[in-house]
Amino acid sequence: MRFFLGKVEGRAVLAAVCILLLPCSHSAPGPQLLLCQSHERCGNQFYDPRQDCCYDDAVVPLGRTQKCGNCTFRVCFEQCCPWLVNRPQESFVVKVKGHSCYSAPSSDDRVCSSVG
């Protein structure tokens, strides 16, 4: 079954398709980029999860690090948790993001001493 679009309707459809695809052909960052790539929301901002993450209600680069006792952790992939064992020299543990701070220790965890 074939459908015929008149010259006017056909051009209108072609123009609409071109307008929708035009933002995808540019690689410059900006609001139009969100139409063509996956995006996430952090508070009231959108961000590209291939470049940034949401940490503490702020958009931060994937490479952002922060101190956790005497350790450094990657805020987009890890979390700093209080160490619950009665050892003052081991007061923090870095766990993979998504794991509960209160879950049993795993081989991926890093124990960190308190600073000071």
Side-chain angles (χ1 to χ4, degrees), residues 14-42:
L14 181 60
V17 169
C18 288
I19 289 170
L20 289 174
L21 293 178
L22 184 62
C24 297
S25 64
H26 299 291
S27 60
Q32 72 274 11
L33 193 60
L34 296 176
L35 296 173
C36 308
Q37 297 177 349
S38 64
H39 59 277
E40 300 287 330
R41 192 174 180 111
C42 181

Side-chain angles (χ1 to χ4, degrees), residues 3-108:
F3 294 98
F4 175 74
L5 293 174
K7 287 184 180 181
V8 174
E9 291 100 354
R11 287 184 182 163
V13 169
L14 181 60
V17 169
C18 288
I19 289 170
L20 289 174
L21 293 178
L22 184 62
C24 297
S25 64
H26 299 291
S27 60
Q32 72 274 11
L33 193 60
L34 296 176
L35 296 173
C36 308
Q37 297 177 349
S38 64
H39 59 277
E40 300 287 330
R41 192 174 180 111
C42 181
N44 62 354
Q45 294 182 301
F46 287 101
Y47 67 95
D48 181 352
R50 295 173 301 170
Q51 297 177 352
D52 303 303
C53 75
C54 186
Y55 177 72
D56 202 20
D57 290 328
V59 176
V60 298
L62 288 179
R64 174 74 51 94
T65 60
Q66 190 166 320
K67 290 301 236 178
C68 177
N70 68 335
C71 296
T72 300
F73 73 103
R74 301 168 302 161
V75 301
C76 294
F77 306 104
E78 300 171 312
Q79 58 187 334
C80 182
C81 301
W83 186 251
L84 300 177
V85 176
N86 254 348
R87 296 181 186 167
Q89 73 276 15
E90 298 174 347
S91 55
F92 299 100
V93 64
V94 173
K95 288 186 166 281
V96 174
K97 203 168 217 175
H99 292 183
S100 169
C101 282
Y102 306 104
S103 63
S106 76
S107 60
D108 293 330

